[in-house]
């Protein structure tokens, strides 16, 4: 398996029901930060999973839940003792209009068939 290319991470995955997953951060050999934000169909942030690691190992691996006003409700996971950066500081606005559309059901079925048995559905 190949390692992902180093640099910025910035993708938006839109689901057919309107929900969106916005993933952003950076990936370098000595510092990887990935923020995966989950937004509902109205674009409201509902949760975020943040991982951050560096030369000293894992510094942050938490899932945060937000209320309808965007306030942090709960944070669960691992936080290194010296990692004081609040999750809210790592959240970015959902980019408007930019999306990687989710595959349609027929396309998803064909992709599954290709991956699992090498054939076409």
């Amino acid at each position: 398996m190949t390692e992902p290319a180093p640099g910025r991470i910035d993708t938006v995955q839109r689901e057919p029901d309107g929900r969106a997953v916005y993933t952003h951060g950076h990936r370098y050999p000595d510092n990887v930060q990935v923020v995966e934000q989950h937004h509902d169909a109205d674009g409201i942030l509902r949760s975020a999973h943040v991982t951050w690691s560096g030369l000293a190992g894992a510094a942050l691996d938490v899932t945060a839940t937000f209320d309808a006003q965007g306030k942090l409700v709960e944070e669960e996971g691992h936080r290194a003792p010296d990692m004081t950066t609040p999750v809210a500081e790592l959240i970015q606005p959902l980019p408007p209009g930019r999306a990687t559309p989710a595959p349609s059901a027929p396309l998803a079925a064909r992709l599954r068939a290709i991956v699992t048995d090498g054939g076409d559905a």
Side-chain angles (χ1 to χ4, degrees):
M1 178 178 243
T2 13
E3 287 294 314
R8 294 282 314 143
I9 300 167
D10 191 20
T11 64
V12 177
Q13 176 75 37
R14 303 255 182 208
E15 300 297 329
D17 64 1
R19 292 180 296 144
V21 178
Y22 177 32
T23 306
H24 57 89
H26 57 260
R27 186 180 318 273
Y28 300 106
D30 62 344
N31 190 310
V32 176
Q33 178 194 80
V34 179
V35 180
E36 186 178 272
Q37 298 176 203
H38 297 264
H39 297 261
D40 66 16
D42 295 323
I44 297 170
L45 177 66
R46 292 304 183 171
S47 68
H49 183 195
V50 180
T51 57
W52 198 347
S53 62
L55 288 174
L60 195 61
D61 186 0
V62 299
T63 299
T65 306
F66 298 87
D67 66 13
Q69 288 74 41
K71 290 189 175 237
L72 179 67
V73 174
E74 182 180 28
E75 180 183 300
E76 294 180 318
H78 166 76
R79 179 181 282 275
D82 58 340
M83 177 53 75
T84 59
T85 304
V87 170
E89 283 187 16
L90 303 173
I91 300 301
Q92 294 182 8
L94 181 62
R98 213 187 83 233
T100 304
S104 66
L107 175 59
R110 285 197 313 273
L111 290 173
R112 259 193 312 279
I114 290 168
V115 169
T116 57
D117 66 14
D120 196 8

